[in-house]
């Protein structure tokens, strides 16, 4: 009884290990082995040697070097010395508070577009005082422009999904510009039906985004083709968290989106 805690003898203590980037872990039940590429909303994202990324709940059930561990969120580290870059690739502005919002705005079609823009360009936008809002569809663009009344110091940059020649989106954009001073509005777009497809598919462990037949909801068709849950809105939301969680910085996005967002930022921050 005097030799210490006799009840702890023989008990295996599983250590807690922070899920730091590039830590290699194994899931013994499935045999999946991957390196940590990110942690988000209680999940750790692991990338295997084929570039496939899967998400698993943090906690017990992992092995590191063959030994059981409990994965925990990574510990925040102080910024290293030297000039840092933001997720968009620009140099970070040190110790600068967010600028008061400009009168100009960037509009995107939906919430997912706004979240992706914030994830990659958020630091830049706060420095510039640019607010990103979403339209809930290009169908509302004409009405929103009339309400906003663009003019000097009140520019609008609009990012439209699937803005290709002959598309419905192109027609609606042209019609919307007829009712306002188009000198203060810039409408650009990417060729994808949905902003999901602007994320490089290799980040998700696939060679290309699936082809979805006409008449089938694109997100539903993609999730079904990938074998991911797709029956409910919660399934779609979970898929988007997984996709967005695979984006580390601008290098994980297609240039067709990168160039358009940079163009809009330049437009709404230009001195008139």
């Amino acid at each position: 009884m005097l030799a210490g805690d006799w009840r702890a003898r023989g008990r295996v203590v599983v250590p807690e290990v922070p899920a730091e980037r590039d830590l290699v872990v194994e899931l013994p039940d499935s045999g999946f082995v991957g390196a940590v590429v990110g942690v988000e909303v209680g999940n750790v994202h692991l990338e295997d040697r084929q570039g496939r990324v899967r998400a698993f709940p943090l906690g017990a059930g992992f092995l590191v070097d063959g030994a059981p561990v409990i994965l925990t969120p990574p510990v925040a580290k102080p910024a290293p010395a030297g000039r840092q870059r933001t997720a968009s690739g620009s140099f970070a502005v040190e110790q600068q508070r967010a600028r008061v919002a400009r009168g100009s705005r960037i509009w995107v079609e939906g919430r997912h577009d706004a979240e992706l823009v914030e994830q990659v360009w958020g630091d830049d936008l706060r420095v510039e005082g640019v607010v990103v809002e979403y339209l809930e569809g290009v169908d509302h663009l004409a009405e929103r422009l009339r309400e906003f009344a663009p003019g000097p110091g009140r520019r609008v940059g609009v990012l439209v999904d699937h803005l290709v020649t002959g598309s419905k989106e192109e027609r609606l954009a042209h019609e919307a510009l007829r009712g306002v001073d188009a000198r203060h509005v810039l409408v650009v777009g990417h060729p994808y039906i949905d902003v999901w497809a602007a994320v490089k598919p290799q980040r998700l462990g696939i060679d290309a985004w699936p082809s979805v037949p006409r008449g089938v909801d694109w997100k539903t068709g993609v999730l079904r083709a990938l074998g991911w849950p797709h029956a409910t809105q919660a399934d779609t939301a979970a898929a988007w968290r997984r996709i967005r969680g695979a984006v580390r910085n601008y290098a994980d996005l297609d240039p067709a989106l990168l160039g358009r967002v940079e163009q809009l930022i330049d437009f709404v921050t230009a001195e008139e």
Side-chain angles (χ1 to χ4, degrees):
M1 294 293 291
L2 300 178
D5 186 359
W6 58 272
R7 290 169 299 182
R9 291 178 182 175
R11 183 190 305 165
V12 176
V13 178
V14 179
E16 294 187 351
V17 176
E20 303 287 355
R21 180 174 288 275
D22 298 326
L23 175 71
V24 177
V25 302
E26 177 184 354
L27 284 91
D29 292 340
S30 64
F32 184 87
V33 178
V36 175
V37 294
V39 174
E40 181 187 52
V41 197
N43 292 317
V44 58
H45 297 264
L46 304 177
E47 180 177 18
D48 68 11
R49 63 177 58 191
Q50 279 77 44
R52 295 172 298 189
V53 177
R54 294 178 60 185
F56 303 93
L58 287 167
F62 299 93
L63 302 178
V64 172
D65 295 331
V69 301
I70 297 173
L71 284 187
T72 62
V75 178
K77 297 180 180 178
R83 201 167 183 193
Q84 303 301 302
R85 289 187 180 272
T86 67
S88 70
S90 62
F91 283 113
V93 179
E94 301 293 339
Q95 298 179 339
Q96 178 165 329
R97 300 173 65 180
R99 175 174 173 169
V100 175
R102 295 172 181 264
S104 300
R105 294 287 187 270
I106 289 178
W107 292 349
V108 297
E109 285 209 56
R111 181 172 59 84
H112 292 178
D113 306 68
E115 289 175 348
L116 190 60
V117 169
E118 161 61 26
Q119 181 167 327
V120 177
W121 287 275
D123 290 337
D124 304 23
L125 294 170
R126 280 183 284 278
V127 168
E128 296 290 350
V130 176
V131 175
V132 176
E133 301 172 346
Y134 59 92
L135 294 165
E136 298 183 346
V138 71
D139 312 68
H140 304 289
L141 179 58
E143 178 184 359
R144 288 288 302 278
L145 283 175
R146 286 194 298 270
E147 293 174 352
F148 188 80
R154 287 177 59 80
R155 288 186 163 192
V156 178
V158 186
L159 179 68
V160 178
D161 298 341
H162 197 232
L163 189 63
V164 296
T165 302
S167 66
K168 176 195 75 172
E169 291 78 7
E170 182 187 53
R171 175 178 57 79
L172 289 172
H174 286 165
E175 291 175 356
L177 290 174
R178 295 193 188 115
V180 297
D181 188 341
R183 295 174 300 174
H184 307 292
V185 181
L186 176 64
V187 179
V188 300
H190 56 75
Y192 303 114
I193 293 176
D194 193 277
V195 76
W196 286 19
V199 177
K200 291 181 178 178
Q202 293 77 15
R203 291 297 307 142
L204 298 162
I206 58 178
D207 295 328
W209 287 96
S211 178
V212 178
R214 292 179 64 87
V216 176
D217 176 73
W218 189 84
K219 289 188 176 77
T220 301
V222 164
L223 298 182
R224 183 185 297 124
L226 293 176
W228 295 5
H230 58 273
T232 66
Q233 182 60 38
D235 291 335
T236 302
W240 171 237
R241 289 194 297 271
R242 179 174 176 179
I243 293 166
R244 190 161 63 89
V247 177
R248 300 163 297 186
N249 54 44
Y250 72 97
D252 295 330
L253 301 180
D254 190 273
L257 176 67
L258 293 174
R260 302 295 76 76
V261 175
E262 297 285 353
Q263 188 177 0
L264 292 177
I265 294 174
D266 289 344
F267 177 77
V268 300
T269 57
E271 298 295 333
E272 300 190 62

